[in-house]
Amino acid sequence: LLYREINSFSDHQSLQQDLKHLEEWANTWGMRFNASKCYILSINKTSDFFYQLDSTILKNVQSTPYLGILLSDDMKWSPHISSITKKANSTLGFLRRNLRRCPPNCRQQAYLSLIRPSLEYGAVVWDPYLKKDIEGLERVQRKASRFITGDFRSYTPGSVTRLLEKTELQPLQQRRKQLRLSL
């Protein structure tokens, strides 16, 4: 990850020079960067300046993953949350298809070890403040409570709340708060 604050044309040139130094360092140590997998992510401002690495013009992107967290050019977390809830729902569907005959404690352990960590990874950084993002994350856990208990039929008001109490799953929003406080 290479970054620089850009306020003038000379800042663009300095960043290009940084890329050139990075190229030289890689050559000195017998390494190569795959320039087709390197991107430019401009935060808050778009630029007409083109940067090069190994004679390849780097592509401008609106979002890119960094250490498992999706960073976006507007620094909002909705794309990241959407991505992890989609992945969590997919994994939950896989578990539902393959563990339907397992006992509830086995299903709960599968959820706690395979899905919930992905919903909480880096949460102290991206903790959502938008209601739609918070509800999207909680929706995954509500589906998981149905999966764990095997109760896909009851749709009376409060039925999922009872299932969450039965499985002793703490709301994800509360868990994120505890993570922030412990950090």
Side-chain angles (χ1 to χ4, degrees), residues 13 29 35 46 54 59 63 70 86 90 103 140 169:
Q13 291 175 319
W29 292 98
T46 57
D54 289 333
K59 187 171 120 177
S63 63
L70 192 62
K86 182 179 177 182
S90 175
V140 174
L169 294 176

mmCIF file of all heavy atoms in Angstrom, residues 13 29 35 46 54 59 63 70 86 90 103 140 169:
data_model
loop_
_atom_site.group_PDB
_atom_site.id
_atom_site.type_symbol
_atom_site.label_atom_id
_atom_site.label_comp_id
_atom_site.label_asym_id
_atom_site.label_seq_id
_atom_site.Cartn_x
_atom_site.Cartn_y
_atom_site.Cartn_z
ATOM 1 N N GLN A 13 3.516 14.135 -9.267
ATOM 2 C CA GLN A 13 4.847 13.741 -9.715
ATOM 3 C C GLN A 13 5.606 12.996 -8.612
ATOM 4 O O GLN A 13 6.319 12.029 -8.883
ATOM 5 C CB GLN A 13 5.635 14.973 -10.169
ATOM 6 C CG GLN A 13 5.084 15.577 -11.446
ATOM 7 C CD GLN A 13 5.792 16.872 -11.810
ATOM 8 O OE1 GLN A 13 6.087 17.686 -10.943
ATOM 9 N NE2 GLN A 13 6.061 17.046 -13.102
ATOM 10 N N TRP A 29 15.989 -6.455 -5.423
ATOM 11 C CA TRP A 29 15.791 -7.669 -4.645
ATOM 12 C C TRP A 29 15.257 -8.840 -5.468
ATOM 13 O O TRP A 29 14.848 -9.851 -4.916
ATOM 14 C CB TRP A 29 14.877 -7.388 -3.459
ATOM 15 C CG TRP A 29 15.546 -6.487 -2.477
ATOM 16 C CD1 TRP A 29 15.389 -5.146 -2.353
ATOM 17 C CD2 TRP A 29 16.534 -6.867 -1.523
ATOM 18 N NE1 TRP A 29 16.207 -4.656 -1.375
ATOM 19 C CE2 TRP A 29 16.922 -5.693 -0.838
ATOM 20 C CE3 TRP A 29 17.133 -8.067 -1.176
ATOM 21 C CZ2 TRP A 29 17.879 -5.702 0.157
ATOM 22 C CZ3 TRP A 29 18.080 -8.067 -0.169
ATOM 23 C CH2 TRP A 29 18.449 -6.897 0.489
ATOM 24 N N ALA A 35 1.657 -5.477 -12.045
ATOM 25 C CA ALA A 35 1.020 -4.165 -12.204
ATOM 26 C C ALA A 35 -0.449 -4.275 -12.584
ATOM 27 O O ALA A 35 -1.234 -3.369 -12.297
ATOM 28 C CB ALA A 35 1.778 -3.342 -13.241
ATOM 29 N N THR A 46 -11.262 13.020 -7.804
ATOM 30 C CA THR A 46 -10.858 12.272 -8.991
ATOM 31 C C THR A 46 -9.711 13.017 -9.648
ATOM 32 O O THR A 46 -9.587 14.235 -9.530
ATOM 33 C CB THR A 46 -12.026 12.119 -9.977
ATOM 34 O OG1 THR A 46 -12.502 13.424 -10.313
ATOM 35 C CG2 THR A 46 -13.135 11.287 -9.387
ATOM 36 N N ASP A 54 5.990 -0.422 -13.774
ATOM 37 C CA ASP A 54 6.525 -1.371 -14.771
ATOM 38 C C ASP A 54 5.938 -1.110 -16.153
ATOM 39 O O ASP A 54 5.486 -2.029 -16.843
ATOM 40 C CB ASP A 54 6.243 -2.819 -14.355
ATOM 41 C CG ASP A 54 7.085 -3.256 -13.174
ATOM 42 O OD1 ASP A 54 8.187 -2.710 -12.988
ATOM 43 O OD2 ASP A 54 6.632 -4.147 -12.433
ATOM 44 N N LYS A 59 -4.876 1.196 -13.158
ATOM 45 C CA LYS A 59 -6.313 1.440 -13.324
ATOM 46 C C LYS A 59 -6.891 2.124 -12.090
ATOM 47 O O LYS A 59 -6.554 1.768 -10.963
ATOM 48 C CB LYS A 59 -6.999 0.085 -13.549
ATOM 49 C CG LYS A 59 -8.450 0.160 -13.901
ATOM 50 C CD LYS A 59 -8.941 -1.219 -14.306
ATOM 51 C CE LYS A 59 -10.039 -1.651 -13.383
ATOM 52 N NZ LYS A 59 -10.613 -2.933 -13.728
ATOM 53 N N SER A 63 -13.420 0.989 -5.523
ATOM 54 C CA SER A 63 -13.211 0.259 -4.265
ATOM 55 C C SER A 63 -12.197 -0.842 -4.502
ATOM 56 O O SER A 63 -12.056 -1.348 -5.622
ATOM 57 C CB SER A 63 -14.527 -0.318 -3.744
ATOM 58 O OG SER A 63 -15.030 -1.257 -4.651
ATOM 59 N N LEU A 70 -13.050 -3.966 2.462
ATOM 60 C CA LEU A 70 -13.259 -3.290 1.190
ATOM 61 C C LEU A 70 -13.266 -1.779 1.416
ATOM 62 O O LEU A 70 -14.159 -1.244 2.065
ATOM 63 C CB LEU A 70 -14.587 -3.742 0.571
ATOM 64 C CG LEU A 70 -14.845 -3.364 -0.867
ATOM 65 C CD1 LEU A 70 -13.815 -3.993 -1.797
ATOM 66 C CD2 LEU A 70 -16.236 -3.810 -1.276
ATOM 67 N N LYS A 86 -23.402 -10.717 1.872
ATOM 68 C CA LYS A 86 -23.653 -11.612 0.727
ATOM 69 C C LYS A 86 -22.863 -12.912 0.889
ATOM 70 O O LYS A 86 -23.398 -14.006 0.714
ATOM 71 C CB LYS A 86 -23.260 -10.909 -0.581
ATOM 72 C CG LYS A 86 -23.518 -11.723 -1.804
ATOM 73 C CD LYS A 86 -23.142 -10.956 -3.062
ATOM 74 C CE LYS A 86 -23.352 -11.831 -4.286
ATOM 75 N NZ LYS A 86 -22.962 -11.149 -5.522
ATOM 76 N N SER A 90 -24.366 -16.709 1.634
ATOM 77 C CA SER A 90 -23.981 -17.830 0.767
ATOM 78 C C SER A 90 -23.458 -19.002 1.593
ATOM 79 O O SER A 90 -23.834 -20.158 1.379
ATOM 80 C CB SER A 90 -22.922 -17.351 -0.227
ATOM 81 O OG SER A 90 -22.453 -18.406 -1.001
ATOM 82 N N PRO A 103 -27.265 -32.196 14.707
ATOM 83 C CA PRO A 103 -27.917 -31.646 15.908
ATOM 84 C C PRO A 103 -27.703 -30.129 15.982
ATOM 85 O O PRO A 103 -26.739 -29.599 15.432
ATOM 86 C CB PRO A 103 -27.228 -32.366 17.068
ATOM 87 C CG PRO A 103 -25.990 -32.951 16.509
ATOM 88 C CD PRO A 103 -26.180 -33.123 15.041
ATOM 89 N N VAL A 140 -28.643 -11.564 8.839
ATOM 90 C CA VAL A 140 -27.879 -12.809 8.675
ATOM 91 C C VAL A 140 -27.976 -13.642 9.948
ATOM 92 O O VAL A 140 -28.207 -14.848 9.899
ATOM 93 C CB VAL A 140 -26.400 -12.514 8.342
ATOM 94 C CG1 VAL A 140 -25.584 -13.798 8.313
ATOM 95 C CG2 VAL A 140 -26.276 -11.792 7.015
ATOM 96 N N LEU A 169 -27.671 -16.182 21.162
ATOM 97 C CA LEU A 169 -26.854 -15.365 20.267
ATOM 98 C C LEU A 169 -27.070 -13.896 20.607
ATOM 99 O O LEU A 169 -28.174 -13.379 20.491
ATOM 100 C CB LEU A 169 -27.214 -15.635 18.801
ATOM 101 C CG LEU A 169 -26.896 -17.021 18.272
ATOM 102 C CD1 LEU A 169 -27.405 -17.179 16.838
ATOM 103 C CD2 LEU A 169 -25.403 -17.287 18.326
#
